Amino acid sequence: MESRNAFASHCCALMVYLFLYAPILVLILYSFNDAKYSAAWEGFTLKWYSSLLADRGVLAATKNSLIIAFVSTACATAIGTLTAIGLYKYTFRYKRLLEGILYLPIIIPEIIMAVSMLALFMFAGISLGLKTVIIAHITFSIPFVVVVVKARLYGLDASLEEAAQDLGANEWETFKRITFPLIRPGVIAGALLAFTLSLDDFIITFFTAGVGSTTLPVRIYSMIKLGISPMINAISTILLVSVVGLVLAVQKLEGSKLKINYKGG
């Protein structure tokens, strides 16, 4: 009976994984398709990957996406982390209202966020370009960082900070030596989430981008109008591998730091 239940559980898990990852596996497979369009398999080739290196539009869009993602992630992570710490440590008037407003970008439809950001830039007389996309990405990334870091903060043992202060550490030293090392996994998780959201965003970017600030998702959208070419699959595969590689590298780095700290302690 137990073996049957285990077999049924494994089958259910396998079906779930197939449902989630089969489309991704098909996308990766067809990025090596020799056909001009991905309707049928006509043989293995690497020409679509080499074609990407010769496509100036794709390279420019990739450069813009990376600039926007790195800058917006850095700013959103810093602001979001400090905001989460402030909401966690301090009680003040209208705190609940501020938290509700802060979570609005997560709750409201993305199209409303895009239109509102466009209206704000038009009202302020700011010309659309790379800077407006960065500002928009920082705006919608901050709440995600706050949520992740705040969840990590509520899991902390407050007695550790109290013990550090009892031993003579001031607030900055307590934050530097106790609080931040403990919430660092949450900060990194929030940064990775912000980076992925920025790299992947289409709707808000489409509304706030100007001439010369086309990102990779917008470029892929313009390319897909002519049909689903294996080049699009190749771009998607590179993005997928890059994001997964980044996550694995961060996890490995965090694991090595934990080992060093454990040995050092």
Side-chain angles (χ1 to χ4, degrees):
M1 188 68 178
E2 292 182 0
S3 60
R4 289 183 180 180
N5 291 336
F7 178 75
S9 300
H10 291 158
C11 288
C12 289
L14 179 62
M15 293 299 294
V16 171
Y17 282 118
L18 283 175
F19 178 78
L20 291 174
Y21 298 112
I24 298 176
L25 293 176
V26 172
L27 180 144
I28 295 173
L29 176 64
Y30 272 82
S31 68
F32 301 101
N33 189 10
D34 194 31
K36 185 175 182 181
Y37 297 100
S38 299
W41 180 265
E42 294 186 7
F44 181 87
T45 184
L46 294 173
K47 67 180 181 180
W48 304 113
Y49 289 91
S50 60
S51 298
L52 291 176
L53 300 177
D55 193 318
R56 293 185 178 180
V58 171
L59 294 178
T62 303
K63 180 183 177 181
N64 289 337
S65 291
L66 291 175
I67 291 173
I68 294 167
F70 279 112
V71 175
S72 64
T73 298
C75 295
T77 302
I79 298 172
T81 301
L82 293 176
T83 303
I85 293 172
L87 292 173
Y88 170 74
K89 284 183 173 293
Y90 305 106
T91 301
F92 49 88
R93 194 177 184 184
Y94 304 123
K95 179 180 178 179
R96 293 294 183 186
L97 177 63
L98 177 60
E99 288 180 335
I101 295 174
L102 188 65
Y103 297 148
L104 272 179
I106 300 177
I107 301 170
I108 63 175
E110 196 172 5
I111 185 67
I112 296 178
M113 182 75 178
V115 173
S116 62
M117 293 299 299
L118 177 61
L120 174 64
F121 293 139
M122 293 295 98
F123 177 78
I126 302 175
S127 57
L128 299 181
L130 213 58
K131 62 179 180 296
T132 54
V133 180
I134 291 174
I135 293 171
H137 282 215
I138 292 172
T139 302
F140 75 72
S141 295
I142 288 175
F144 292 95
V145 177
V146 172
V147 169
V148 176
V149 176
K150 195 176 176 184
R152 182 71 180 180
L153 282 165
Y154 278 105
L156 292 183
D157 186 358
S159 62
L160 295 174
E161 294 180 326
E162 293 173 359
Q165 292 176 351
D166 288 341
L167 293 172
N170 56 33
E171 289 189 4
W172 168 246
E173 290 175 336
T174 302
F175 173 77
K176 181 181 178 182
R177 297 179 180 273
I178 304 297
T179 308
F180 184 75
L182 291 174
I183 67 171
R184 185 170 57 199
V187 175
I188 294 174
L192 286 176
L193 181 60
F195 183 83
T196 304
L197 289 170
S198 175
L199 203 62
D200 178 64
D201 182 76
F202 169 76
I203 297 177
I204 294 176
T205 304
F206 186 80
F207 275 79
T208 57
V211 178
S213 57
T214 300
T215 61
L216 202 52
V218 176
R219 177 67 180 179
I220 292 174
Y221 174 75
S222 64
M223 292 170 63
I224 208 169
K225 291 180 180 179
L226 304 176
I228 303 177
S229 166
M231 184 181 291
I232 298 175
N233 295 338
I235 297 172
S236 303
T237 301
I238 292 174
L239 278 175
L240 175 65
V241 172
S242 301
V243 172
V244 172
L246 178 63
V247 172
L248 293 177
V250 170
Q251 288 181 342
K252 185 175 181 180
L253 180 62
E254 279 298 297
S256 63
K257 285 183 177 179
L258 287 174
K259 290 179 181 178
I260 292 172
N261 291 336
Y262 176 75
K263 292 178 180 178

